[in-house]
Amino acid sequence: MLDRFVSYMRSMNMSENTITSYGKDLKQFLEFISSRDIAISAVNHKTLLQFLDHLTQRGLKSSTKRRKMESIKTFYGSMCKLGELKTNPLSDFQDMPKMDAGSMKALTEMEYRSLRDVVRGSRRKSSVRDYAILELALQTGLRISEICSLSMDDVKFSTKTTVGFVKVQKGKGGKDRMVTLNDAAERAIKEYLAVRPKKKQYQELFLNNRFKPCDPNVIGGIFKRYMGKADITGASFHSLRHTFATHSLKKGTNIIVVQEALGHKSLTTTQRYVHLVRELMDKQLTKNAL
């Protein structure tokens, strides 16, 4: 049934990153119910609450628990559509973990400027590439998986008559979208292209030191170390996405524009960042009193 689900997701043009993530979540859930001799068709609200309690005891964040429950919900919904199951125990499940603002770390202006300086001043062979990735994340809010999946043809620079943009193919939810490239992002990418290895067998934009496409997990680890050198705590690469959204709204960008750039289906998801703007403003105005 899990194999059937994976095939179904591929037929729906979902990204490989999403499919892998769903697969891992479901494997964990199936192992959990198997250890308790519960059949897939016998799962109910009590089972789901027990699984949530199991995840809580393991110390998982609310955002991670919510993602796992969404994976299970998608699985059961898909299996019902395919006729493999008759009911979806998550269709009316009301105890989904709430997204906590604490899990949505956005860098302050001082922090992301410091991170820029660290990456720019790095002696790593990949520093020019890393800086291009950093600017792309800060200026567009793209996910790390989306950045690593970009091909050379997905980037279009501005001309005298057109604005530059990057095409995100099969983003989260299997949707394509186009996000505007500003001058800062264009300059950083052009600097990288000047030193990028000319390997015709790979069309991905960002390559590693072995001239192969970058792995999202490796890039995430590299930026975790950069953040440590910049004295930034409690952040990850995904925090750059939160930073883009938070500061864009803070500077007056229309929330619909931010929603489109982030690829959110629901405006409600984007509105979470309004609370971060409020928190950031409170901290900065208190700290920087005249």
Side-chain angles (χ1 to χ4, degrees):
M1 199 177 288
L2 184 56
D3 290 340
R4 182 96 188 269
F5 176 59
V6 170
S7 298
Y8 177 73
M9 286 194 291
R10 288 205 170 97
S11 72
M12 296 297 290
N13 290 323
M14 289 190 173
S15 70
E16 285 300 318
N17 191 66
T18 298
I19 293 172
T20 300
S21 179
Y22 277 17
K24 288 180 179 178
D25 291 341
L26 285 167
K27 187 173 183 291
Q28 182 182 13
F29 176 68
L30 295 176
E31 287 175 351
F32 173 82
I33 62 175
S34 176
S35 68
R36 286 159 176 75
D37 293 323
I38 301 172
I40 291 178
S41 58
V43 168
N44 54 30
H45 285 195
K46 182 180 178 181
T47 312
L48 296 170
L49 288 171
Q50 290 173 339
F51 183 59
L52 274 175
D53 184 58
H54 168 71
L55 298 177
T56 301
Q57 289 179 19
R58 291 186 55 201
L60 271 64
K61 296 185 294 186
S62 294
S63 56
T64 303
K65 290 187 288 185
R66 187 177 183 86
R67 189 203 71 221
K68 290 181 182 297
M69 298 304 285
E70 290 289 357
S71 298
I72 298 168
K73 184 177 182 179
T74 302
F75 168 73
Y76 274 96
S78 301
M79 290 300 99
C80 287
K81 283 182 181 179
L82 295 172
E84 295 281 353
L85 294 171
K86 293 182 178 180
T87 59
N88 180 354
L90 260 167
S91 60
D92 58 346
F93 188 63
Q94 301 296 320
D95 293 290
M96 295 287 281
K98 294 181 179 179
M99 291 293 293
D100 54 303
S103 68
M104 296 170 59
K105 161 83 174 179
L107 307 190
T108 65
E109 188 170 345
M110 185 176 294
E111 284 177 330
Y112 70 69
R113 287 182 183 278
S114 176
L115 182 59
R116 274 190 178 124
D117 292 340
V118 167
V119 178
R120 270 289 199 195
S122 172
R123 294 184 178 181
R124 289 179 57 89
K125 289 175 62 177
S126 62
S127 61
V128 178
R129 179 205 68 191
D130 297 343
Y131 187 76
I133 290 175
L134 172 61
E135 281 301 326
L136 190 55
L138 285 174
Q139 306 299 341
T140 66
L142 264 62
R143 301 175 179 88
I144 187 170
S145 58
E146 294 171 339
I147 290 176
C148 290
S149 297
L150 289 175
S151 73
M152 297 285 284
D153 292 336
D154 290 331
V155 179
K156 305 296 182 185
F157 294 120
S158 59
T159 66
K160 291 182 179 179
T161 57
T162 61
V163 176
F165 65 89
V166 58
K167 183 177 182 181
V168 181
Q169 302 193 50
K170 293 185 181 179
K172 191 172 182 180
K175 292 176 61 179
D176 293 354
R177 69 183 190 280
M178 291 189 292
V179 185
T180 300
L181 279 180
N182 61 19
D183 291 341
E186 280 201 12
R187 283 196 303 271
I189 294 173
K190 285 178 179 178
E191 286 181 16
Y192 164 65
L193 289 177
V195 299
R196 179 186 180 277
K198 303 298 187 290
K199 294 290 179 181
K200 293 183 178 179
Q201 66 265 44
Y202 294 116
Q203 282 303 302
E204 283 81 0
L205 175 62
F206 295 109
L207 303 180
N208 61 25
N209 292 335
R210 295 181 179 179
F211 313 129
K212 294 182 179 180
C214 288
D215 179 275
N217 292 324
V218 174
I219 296 298
I222 290 172
F223 272 86
K224 193 73 175 176
R225 290 190 288 274
Y226 278 138
M227 289 175 179
K229 291 180 180 178
D231 294 324
I232 299 171
T233 59
S236 65
F237 190 94
H238 201 67
S239 300
L240 302 178
R241 179 173 166 84
H242 299 324
T243 302
F244 162 78
T246 302
H247 288 275
S248 293
L249 291 172
K250 180 184 172 187
K251 293 179 180 181
T253 304
N254 188 295
I255 193 170
I256 303 297
V257 174
V258 176
Q259 177 192 10
E260 183 65 24
L262 294 174
H264 287 160
K265 287 183 179 180
S266 169
L267 186 61
T268 303
T269 307
T270 315
Q271 285 174 332
R272 292 179 298 163
Y273 291 102
V274 175
H275 300 296
L276 284 184
V277 172
R278 180 75 259 171
E279 291 177 15
L280 195 63
M281 188 180 294
D282 289 346
K283 289 179 182 178
Q284 293 190 357
L285 290 182
T286 301
K287 182 179 179 180
N288 302 322
L290 299 181

mmCIF file of all heavy atoms in Angstrom, residues 55-88:
data_model
loop_
_atom_site.group_PDB
_atom_site.id
_atom_site.type_symbol
_atom_site.label_atom_id
_atom_site.label_comp_id
_atom_site.label_asym_id
_atom_site.label_seq_id
_atom_site.Cartn_x
_atom_site.Cartn_y
_atom_site.Cartn_z
ATOM 1 N N LEU A 55 5.324 10.833 19.803
ATOM 2 C CA LEU A 55 6.201 11.846 19.197
ATOM 3 C C LEU A 55 6.600 12.911 20.214
ATOM 4 O O LEU A 55 7.739 13.381 20.213
ATOM 5 C CB LEU A 55 5.491 12.502 18.005
ATOM 6 C CG LEU A 55 5.121 11.595 16.824
ATOM 7 C CD1 LEU A 55 4.363 12.388 15.762
ATOM 8 C CD2 LEU A 55 6.371 10.957 16.212
ATOM 9 N N THR A 56 5.657 13.277 21.074
ATOM 10 C CA THR A 56 5.936 14.277 22.110
ATOM 11 C C THR A 56 6.991 13.769 23.080
ATOM 12 O O THR A 56 7.904 14.499 23.470
ATOM 13 C CB THR A 56 4.649 14.631 22.879
ATOM 14 O OG1 THR A 56 3.675 15.147 21.965
ATOM 15 C CG2 THR A 56 4.927 15.681 23.960
ATOM 16 N N GLN A 57 6.882 12.499 23.472
ATOM 17 C CA GLN A 57 7.852 11.895 24.389
ATOM 18 C C GLN A 57 9.249 11.861 23.775
ATOM 19 O O GLN A 57 10.248 11.904 24.498
ATOM 20 C CB GLN A 57 7.399 10.489 24.765
ATOM 21 C CG GLN A 57 6.186 10.450 25.672
ATOM 22 C CD GLN A 57 5.754 9.028 26.004
ATOM 23 O OE1 GLN A 57 6.517 8.076 25.856
ATOM 24 N NE2 GLN A 57 4.515 8.874 26.453
ATOM 25 N N ARG A 58 9.309 11.817 22.453
ATOM 26 C CA ARG A 58 10.602 11.829 21.763
ATOM 27 C C ARG A 58 11.154 13.252 21.619
ATOM 28 O O ARG A 58 12.247 13.443 21.095
ATOM 29 C CB ARG A 58 10.471 11.197 20.385
ATOM 30 C CG ARG A 58 10.205 9.695 20.421
ATOM 31 C CD ARG A 58 10.244 9.118 19.026
ATOM 32 N NE ARG A 58 11.498 9.427 18.352
ATOM 33 C CZ ARG A 58 11.669 9.415 17.036
ATOM 34 N NH1 ARG A 58 10.640 9.119 16.246
ATOM 35 N NH2 ARG A 58 12.826 9.698 16.497
ATOM 36 N N GLY A 59 10.398 14.238 22.066
ATOM 37 C CA GLY A 59 10.872 15.614 22.053
ATOM 38 C C GLY A 59 10.723 16.335 20.729
ATOM 39 O O GLY A 59 11.396 17.345 20.489
ATOM 40 N N LEU A 60 9.849 15.856 19.849
ATOM 41 C CA LEU A 60 9.680 16.493 18.545
ATOM 42 C C LEU A 60 8.902 17.798 18.668
ATOM 43 O O LEU A 60 8.002 17.923 19.503
ATOM 44 C CB LEU A 60 8.953 15.556 17.573
ATOM 45 C CG LEU A 60 9.861 14.606 16.767
ATOM 46 C CD1 LEU A 60 10.581 13.644 17.686
ATOM 47 C CD2 LEU A 60 9.044 13.839 15.739
ATOM 48 N N LYS A 61 9.252 18.761 17.817
ATOM 49 C CA LYS A 61 8.599 20.068 17.824
ATOM 50 C C LYS A 61 7.192 19.968 17.250
ATOM 51 O O LYS A 61 6.873 19.040 16.500
ATOM 52 C CB LYS A 61 9.422 21.072 17.014
ATOM 53 C CG LYS A 61 10.797 21.364 17.587
ATOM 54 C CD LYS A 61 11.508 22.455 16.818
ATOM 55 C CE LYS A 61 11.839 22.036 15.406
ATOM 56 N NZ LYS A 61 12.665 23.047 14.692
ATOM 57 N N SER A 62 6.374 20.962 17.581
ATOM 58 C CA SER A 62 4.992 20.982 17.092
ATOM 59 C C SER A 62 4.935 20.982 15.572
ATOM 60 O O SER A 62 4.088 20.320 14.967
ATOM 61 C CB SER A 62 4.266 22.222 17.629
ATOM 62 O OG SER A 62 4.123 22.161 19.020
ATOM 63 N N SER A 63 5.859 21.722 14.943
ATOM 64 C CA SER A 63 5.859 21.799 13.477
ATOM 65 C C SER A 63 6.154 20.440 12.859
ATOM 66 O O SER A 63 5.552 20.059 11.842
ATOM 67 C CB SER A 63 6.897 22.826 13.007
ATOM 68 O OG SER A 63 8.187 22.511 13.511
ATOM 69 N N THR A 64 7.059 19.665 13.480
ATOM 70 C CA THR A 64 7.402 18.333 12.974
ATOM 71 C C THR A 64 6.233 17.370 13.165
ATOM 72 O O THR A 64 5.893 16.589 12.267
ATOM 73 C CB THR A 64 8.650 17.780 13.699
ATOM 74 O OG1 THR A 64 9.725 18.705 13.538
ATOM 75 C CG2 THR A 64 9.058 16.431 13.132
ATOM 76 N N LYS A 65 5.599 17.447 14.330
ATOM 77 C CA LYS A 65 4.452 16.575 14.604
ATOM 78 C C LYS A 65 3.303 16.883 13.645
ATOM 79 O O LYS A 65 2.642 15.971 13.145
ATOM 80 C CB LYS A 65 3.999 16.738 16.061
ATOM 81 C CG LYS A 65 4.983 16.175 17.077
ATOM 82 C CD LYS A 65 4.422 16.204 18.486
ATOM 83 C CE LYS A 65 4.358 17.606 19.039
ATOM 84 N NZ LYS A 65 3.922 17.616 20.464
ATOM 85 N N ARG A 66 3.094 18.164 13.379
ATOM 86 C CA ARG A 66 2.013 18.547 12.461
ATOM 87 C C ARG A 66 2.290 18.018 11.054
ATOM 88 O O ARG A 66 1.387 17.526 10.381
ATOM 89 C CB ARG A 66 1.865 20.063 12.438
ATOM 90 C CG ARG A 66 0.651 20.521 11.626
ATOM 91 C CD ARG A 66 0.476 22.024 11.667
ATOM 92 N NE ARG A 66 -0.722 22.398 10.941
ATOM 93 C CZ ARG A 66 -1.946 22.430 11.452
ATOM 94 N NH1 ARG A 66 -2.135 22.118 12.719
ATOM 95 N NH2 ARG A 66 -2.982 22.777 10.713
ATOM 96 N N ARG A 67 3.564 18.101 10.634
ATOM 97 C CA ARG A 67 3.916 17.608 9.303
ATOM 98 C C ARG A 67 3.662 16.107 9.190
ATOM 99 O O ARG A 67 3.149 15.622 8.181
ATOM 100 C CB ARG A 67 5.385 17.902 9.004
ATOM 101 C CG ARG A 67 5.798 17.632 7.550
ATOM 102 C CD ARG A 67 7.277 17.394 7.432
ATOM 103 N NE ARG A 67 7.663 16.113 8.011
ATOM 104 C CZ ARG A 67 8.751 15.925 8.743
ATOM 105 N NH1 ARG A 67 9.564 16.926 9.010
ATOM 106 N NH2 ARG A 67 9.048 14.722 9.214
ATOM 107 N N LYS A 68 4.009 15.371 10.232
ATOM 108 C CA LYS A 68 3.803 13.923 10.215
ATOM 109 C C LYS A 68 2.314 13.593 10.147
ATOM 110 O O LYS A 68 1.903 12.665 9.435
ATOM 111 C CB LYS A 68 4.452 13.281 11.450
ATOM 112 C CG LYS A 68 5.982 13.301 11.411
ATOM 113 C CD LYS A 68 6.580 12.640 12.631
ATOM 114 C CE LYS A 68 8.108 12.711 12.604
ATOM 115 N NZ LYS A 68 8.698 11.973 11.468
ATOM 116 N N MET A 69 1.503 14.349 10.877
ATOM 117 C CA MET A 69 0.061 14.108 10.837
ATOM 118 C C MET A 69 -0.513 14.462 9.466
ATOM 119 O O MET A 69 -1.429 13.792 8.975
ATOM 120 C CB MET A 69 -0.632 14.919 11.935
ATOM 121 C CG MET A 69 -0.208 14.543 13.356
ATOM 122 S SD MET A 69 -0.423 12.787 13.754
ATOM 123 C CE MET A 69 -2.189 12.723 13.973
ATOM 124 N N GLU A 70 0.025 15.496 8.840
ATOM 125 C CA GLU A 70 -0.409 15.855 7.488
ATOM 126 C C GLU A 70 -0.050 14.749 6.497
ATOM 127 O O GLU A 70 -0.806 14.457 5.561
ATOM 128 C CB GLU A 70 0.241 17.174 7.061
ATOM 129 C CG GLU A 70 -0.273 18.408 7.799
ATOM 130 C CD GLU A 70 -1.686 18.805 7.418
ATOM 131 O OE1 GLU A 70 -2.268 18.167 6.528
ATOM 132 O OE2 GLU A 70 -2.217 19.751 8.033
ATOM 133 N N SER A 71 1.117 14.135 6.694
ATOM 134 C CA SER A 71 1.528 13.019 5.832
ATOM 135 C C SER A 71 0.554 11.849 5.958
ATOM 136 O O SER A 71 0.151 11.240 4.955
ATOM 137 C CB SER A 71 2.947 12.550 6.208
ATOM 138 O OG SER A 71 3.900 13.568 6.010
ATOM 139 N N ILE A 72 0.172 11.543 7.197
ATOM 140 C CA ILE A 72 -0.766 10.444 7.439
ATOM 141 C C ILE A 72 -2.133 10.773 6.824
ATOM 142 O O ILE A 72 -2.777 9.921 6.201
ATOM 143 C CB ILE A 72 -0.899 10.184 8.959
ATOM 144 C CG1 ILE A 72 0.452 9.756 9.541
ATOM 145 C CG2 ILE A 72 -1.945 9.103 9.230
ATOM 146 C CD1 ILE A 72 0.494 9.745 11.063
ATOM 147 N N LYS A 73 -2.551 12.027 6.993
ATOM 148 C CA LYS A 73 -3.840 12.459 6.436
ATOM 149 C C LYS A 73 -3.846 12.323 4.912
ATOM 150 O O LYS A 73 -4.824 11.851 4.314
ATOM 151 C CB LYS A 73 -4.104 13.909 6.839
ATOM 152 C CG LYS A 73 -5.456 14.438 6.387
ATOM 153 C CD LYS A 73 -5.672 15.853 6.895
ATOM 154 C CE LYS A 73 -7.048 16.382 6.499
ATOM 155 N NZ LYS A 73 -7.264 17.773 7.015
ATOM 156 N N THR A 74 -2.752 12.728 4.282
ATOM 157 C CA THR A 74 -2.636 12.617 2.827
ATOM 158 C C THR A 74 -2.655 11.160 2.389
ATOM 159 O O THR A 74 -3.286 10.799 1.384
ATOM 160 C CB THR A 74 -1.341 13.291 2.340
ATOM 161 O OG1 THR A 74 -1.339 14.662 2.754
ATOM 162 C CG2 THR A 74 -1.229 13.235 0.816
ATOM 163 N N PHE A 75 -1.969 10.302 3.145
ATOM 164 C CA PHE A 75 -1.918 8.876 2.838
ATOM 165 C C PHE A 75 -3.318 8.263 2.861
ATOM 166 O O PHE A 75 -3.749 7.611 1.893
ATOM 167 C CB PHE A 75 -1.008 8.167 3.844
ATOM 168 C CG PHE A 75 -1.091 6.664 3.799
ATOM 169 C CD1 PHE A 75 -0.533 5.958 2.744
ATOM 170 C CD2 PHE A 75 -1.726 5.959 4.810
ATOM 171 C CE1 PHE A 75 -0.610 4.572 2.694
ATOM 172 C CE2 PHE A 75 -1.805 4.578 4.778
ATOM 173 C CZ PHE A 75 -1.245 3.885 3.701
ATOM 174 N N TYR A 76 -4.040 8.484 3.949
ATOM 175 C CA TYR A 76 -5.375 7.898 4.067
ATOM 176 C C TYR A 76 -6.341 8.477 3.033
ATOM 177 O O TYR A 76 -7.164 7.756 2.460
ATOM 178 C CB TYR A 76 -5.917 8.089 5.483
ATOM 179 C CG TYR A 76 -5.471 7.006 6.430
ATOM 180 C CD1 TYR A 76 -4.374 7.182 7.252
ATOM 181 C CD2 TYR A 76 -6.141 5.790 6.496
ATOM 182 C CE1 TYR A 76 -3.940 6.182 8.116
ATOM 183 C CE2 TYR A 76 -5.733 4.775 7.360
ATOM 184 C CZ TYR A 76 -4.631 4.975 8.166
ATOM 185 O OH TYR A 76 -4.206 3.973 9.011
ATOM 186 N N GLY A 77 -6.225 9.786 2.782
ATOM 187 C CA GLY A 77 -7.082 10.396 1.774
ATOM 188 C C GLY A 77 -6.835 9.811 0.393
ATOM 189 O O GLY A 77 -7.778 9.535 -0.362
ATOM 190 N N SER A 78 -5.560 9.586 0.073
ATOM 191 C CA SER A 78 -5.194 9.014 -1.227
ATOM 192 C C SER A 78 -5.672 7.570 -1.356
ATOM 193 O O SER A 78 -6.175 7.157 -2.403
ATOM 194 C CB SER A 78 -3.672 9.075 -1.423
ATOM 195 O OG SER A 78 -3.204 10.405 -1.356
ATOM 196 N N MET A 79 -5.499 6.815 -0.279
ATOM 197 C CA MET A 79 -5.921 5.412 -0.313
ATOM 198 C C MET A 79 -7.436 5.272 -0.449
ATOM 199 O O MET A 79 -7.934 4.332 -1.074
ATOM 200 C CB MET A 79 -5.429 4.686 0.949
ATOM 201 C CG MET A 79 -3.914 4.479 1.007
ATOM 202 S SD MET A 79 -3.256 3.498 -0.392
ATOM 203 C CE MET A 79 -2.638 4.809 -1.466
ATOM 204 N N CYS A 80 -8.168 6.232 0.131
ATOM 205 C CA CYS A 80 -9.631 6.209 -0.021
ATOM 206 C C CYS A 80 -10.008 6.517 -1.473
ATOM 207 O O CYS A 80 -10.912 5.874 -2.033
ATOM 208 C CB CYS A 80 -10.270 7.232 0.920
ATOM 209 S SG CYS A 80 -10.239 6.753 2.671
ATOM 210 N N LYS A 81 -9.324 7.454 -2.081
ATOM 211 C CA LYS A 81 -9.588 7.793 -3.484
ATOM 212 C C LYS A 81 -9.300 6.615 -4.404
ATOM 213 O O LYS A 81 -10.000 6.389 -5.392
ATOM 214 C CB LYS A 81 -8.716 8.987 -3.906
ATOM 215 C CG LYS A 81 -9.199 10.322 -3.403
ATOM 216 C CD LYS A 81 -8.294 11.431 -3.924
ATOM 217 C CE LYS A 81 -8.744 12.793 -3.414
ATOM 218 N NZ LYS A 81 -7.844 13.883 -3.898
ATOM 219 N N LEU A 82 -8.246 5.853 -4.073
ATOM 220 C CA LEU A 82 -7.855 4.717 -4.901
ATOM 221 C C LEU A 82 -8.654 3.452 -4.587
ATOM 222 O O LEU A 82 -8.454 2.417 -5.223
ATOM 223 C CB LEU A 82 -6.353 4.447 -4.715
ATOM 224 C CG LEU A 82 -5.401 5.558 -5.205
ATOM 225 C CD1 LEU A 82 -3.967 5.248 -4.777
ATOM 226 C CD2 LEU A 82 -5.487 5.693 -6.714
ATOM 227 N N GLY A 83 -9.514 3.536 -3.577
ATOM 228 C CA GLY A 83 -10.351 2.386 -3.232
ATOM 229 C C GLY A 83 -9.669 1.357 -2.360
ATOM 230 O O GLY A 83 -10.213 0.265 -2.149
ATOM 231 N N GLU A 84 -8.476 1.687 -1.831
ATOM 232 C CA GLU A 84 -7.751 0.747 -0.972
ATOM 233 C C GLU A 84 -8.338 0.722 0.445
ATOM 234 O O GLU A 84 -8.264 -0.282 1.139
ATOM 235 C CB GLU A 84 -6.273 1.133 -0.905
ATOM 236 C CG GLU A 84 -5.524 1.011 -2.221
ATOM 237 C CD GLU A 84 -5.139 -0.422 -2.541
ATOM 238 O OE1 GLU A 84 -5.339 -1.290 -1.672
ATOM 239 O OE2 GLU A 84 -4.651 -0.679 -3.657
ATOM 240 N N LEU A 85 -8.880 1.870 0.872
ATOM 241 C CA LEU A 85 -9.472 1.979 2.205
ATOM 242 C C LEU A 85 -10.844 2.638 2.097
ATOM 243 O O LEU A 85 -11.111 3.395 1.163
ATOM 244 C CB LEU A 85 -8.569 2.809 3.131
ATOM 245 C CG LEU A 85 -7.202 2.204 3.481
ATOM 246 C CD1 LEU A 85 -6.352 3.233 4.204
ATOM 247 C CD2 LEU A 85 -7.363 0.963 4.346
ATOM 248 N N LYS A 86 -11.690 2.372 3.082
ATOM 249 C CA LYS A 86 -13.047 2.920 3.048
ATOM 250 C C LYS A 86 -13.174 4.236 3.812
ATOM 251 O O LYS A 86 -14.000 5.081 3.462
ATOM 252 C CB LYS A 86 -14.033 1.895 3.629
ATOM 253 C CG LYS A 86 -14.184 0.643 2.770
ATOM 254 C CD LYS A 86 -15.200 -0.310 3.381
ATOM 255 C CE LYS A 86 -15.380 -1.541 2.501
ATOM 256 N NZ LYS A 86 -16.373 -2.498 3.077
ATOM 257 N N THR A 87 -12.385 4.391 4.877
ATOM 258 C CA THR A 87 -12.516 5.595 5.703
ATOM 259 C C THR A 87 -11.169 6.243 5.971
ATOM 260 O O THR A 87 -10.133 5.562 5.996
ATOM 261 C CB THR A 87 -13.177 5.278 7.059
ATOM 262 O OG1 THR A 87 -12.381 4.297 7.750
ATOM 263 C CG2 THR A 87 -14.589 4.761 6.867
ATOM 264 N N ASN A 88 -11.191 7.562 6.193
ATOM 265 C CA ASN A 88 -9.995 8.329 6.536
ATOM 266 C C ASN A 88 -10.134 8.783 7.990
ATOM 267 O O ASN A 88 -10.922 9.689 8.285
ATOM 268 C CB ASN A 88 -9.859 9.544 5.615
ATOM 269 C CG ASN A 88 -8.628 10.380 5.928
ATOM 270 O OD1 ASN A 88 -7.927 10.119 6.902
ATOM 271 N ND2 ASN A 88 -8.371 11.384 5.114
#
